[in-house]
Amino acid sequence: MPHSALDPSITTLLNEGLWFSRIPTPLQEALIHHGREFHLQRGETLFRRGDPPCGLYAMIEGALRISMVNEEGKEAILTFIDPPNWIGEVSLVDGQPRTHDAIAETPSRLLHVPQSALEPLLQETPAYWRCIGQLLSQKLRFTFYAIEDYALLPAPQRLIRRLVMMAEGYGNRTTDTPQTIHLQQEQLGRMLSISRQTTNQILKDLEAAGLLRLVYGGIEILDLAGLQKRGNLPPMSGR
């Protein structure tokens, strides 16, 4: 994964993320200063479950599939990460190995801030640990939402709510631009334990209602507010 010169527009893109836009300016500058841009081809692995901590990553373009594979080779898909989200904070906090696999679902562009730069930065300014904790708790909050939905809701509402979560970047996206979620119908169904046939029927119904469009390699969200209403939930920032 060769590094290249850092694109100056990355700061603007990252500020479209709620977490990065709210951390102190010196920390923003430090992450950008120590960050290195690189690219992954579709199917290329960023890290595997059990790999040692290696820092934080910010998505600039593309999508990552977060999953795990059991001994029989069956893959459990947990979620998909797209810009301007960050990943890697769990291992940064506890110093333990990676918990899941991260694989490029599409050609992707990322910013890597290495562990060797983060550790002295956090040691020098311990208050920055609160910022890392906020990144971690933001994801934990939406994990709780997903568990609650899975336990209590029927398949159509569960699917709609997950689409809304993903379209809003799990509460991290500050812009309201139309979103194409880069995942296949089968992958969405597997994430939610819904059969391929049921997933397809739900999506076709939502497409007929003008709420989304099924496109090659993904799902384009046409009416996020309509999806929120149909799923009976407010925007993620208000949940």
Side-chain angles (χ1 to χ4, degrees):
M1 298 183 295
H3 290 76
S4 58
L6 192 60
D7 185 338
S9 68
I10 286 180
T11 303
T12 301
L13 185 146
L14 292 178
N15 269 302
E16 294 179 3
L18 194 62
W19 177 76
F20 187 83
S21 69
R22 290 182 174 180
I23 62 176
T25 299
L27 179 55
Q28 289 183 345
E29 293 173 346
L31 293 175
I32 294 295
H33 173 74
H34 292 292
R36 295 295 181 267
E37 180 185 344
F38 69 96
H39 298 77
L40 293 174
Q41 297 303 311
R42 181 182 180 186
E44 193 172 356
T45 298
L46 177 62
F47 54 73
R48 290 283 187 187
R49 182 176 187 175
D51 285 352
C54 55
L56 292 175
Y57 295 90
M59 291 296 300
I60 307 301
E61 294 177 2
L64 291 177
R65 183 174 78 253
I66 307 301
S67 64
M68 59 176 293
V69 179
N70 66 12
E71 295 179 356
E72 289 74 38
K74 183 178 180 180
E75 183 183 36
I77 300 175
L78 302 184
T79 191
F80 288 76
I81 302 294
D82 61 3
N85 283 294
W86 291 74
I87 63 170
E89 72 283 349
V90 173
S91 290
L92 175 62
V93 170
D94 66 12
Q96 298 299 305
R98 297 296 186 189
T99 57
H100 297 91
D101 301 341
I103 301 169
E105 184 67 17
T106 68
S108 299
R109 181 173 162 224
L110 301 96
L111 182 72
H112 177 218
V113 185
Q115 195 90 355
S116 59
L118 288 166
E119 288 178 349
L121 176 66
L122 293 167
Q123 184 174 5
E124 181 180 346
T125 311
Y128 289 163
W129 274 113
R130 177 177 173 83
C131 300
I132 303 300
Q134 288 170 335
L135 179 62
L136 181 62
S137 62
Q138 180 187 61
K139 294 185 182 177
L140 182 60
R141 179 179 298 273
F142 286 94
T143 299
F144 286 151
Y145 291 153
I147 293 171
E148 177 186 324
D149 290 351
Y150 183 83
L152 300 176
L153 297 179
Q157 200 171 14
R158 198 159 77 238
L159 184 147
I160 291 169
R161 289 182 177 232
R162 181 57 65 94
L163 287 179
V164 170
M165 280 189 184
M166 297 179 74
E168 293 194 331
Y170 293 94
N172 189 50
R173 188 169 290 115
T174 61
T175 58
D176 295 322
T177 54
Q179 284 294 317
T180 297
I181 301 172
H182 298 284
L183 81 166
Q184 306 292 333
Q185 294 183 43
E186 180 183 1
Q187 293 173 328
L188 177 61
R190 286 164 59 194
M191 284 172 59
L192 301 170
S193 298
I194 302 173
S195 71
R196 175 189 288 185
Q197 294 80 2
T198 301
T199 299
N200 179 261
Q201 185 58 58
I202 297 170
L203 291 173
K204 288 291 187 183
D205 290 345
L206 296 173
E207 185 174 43
L211 300 176
L212 55 80
R213 180 186 297 123
L214 302 177
V215 298
Y216 179 77
I219 301 167
E220 182 182 358
I221 304 300
L222 301 178
D223 183 357
L224 183 57
L227 278 176
Q228 290 165 347
K229 183 176 181 180
R230 189 130 169 182
N232 192 30
L233 76 167
M236 286 298 163
S237 59
R239 263 187 97 171

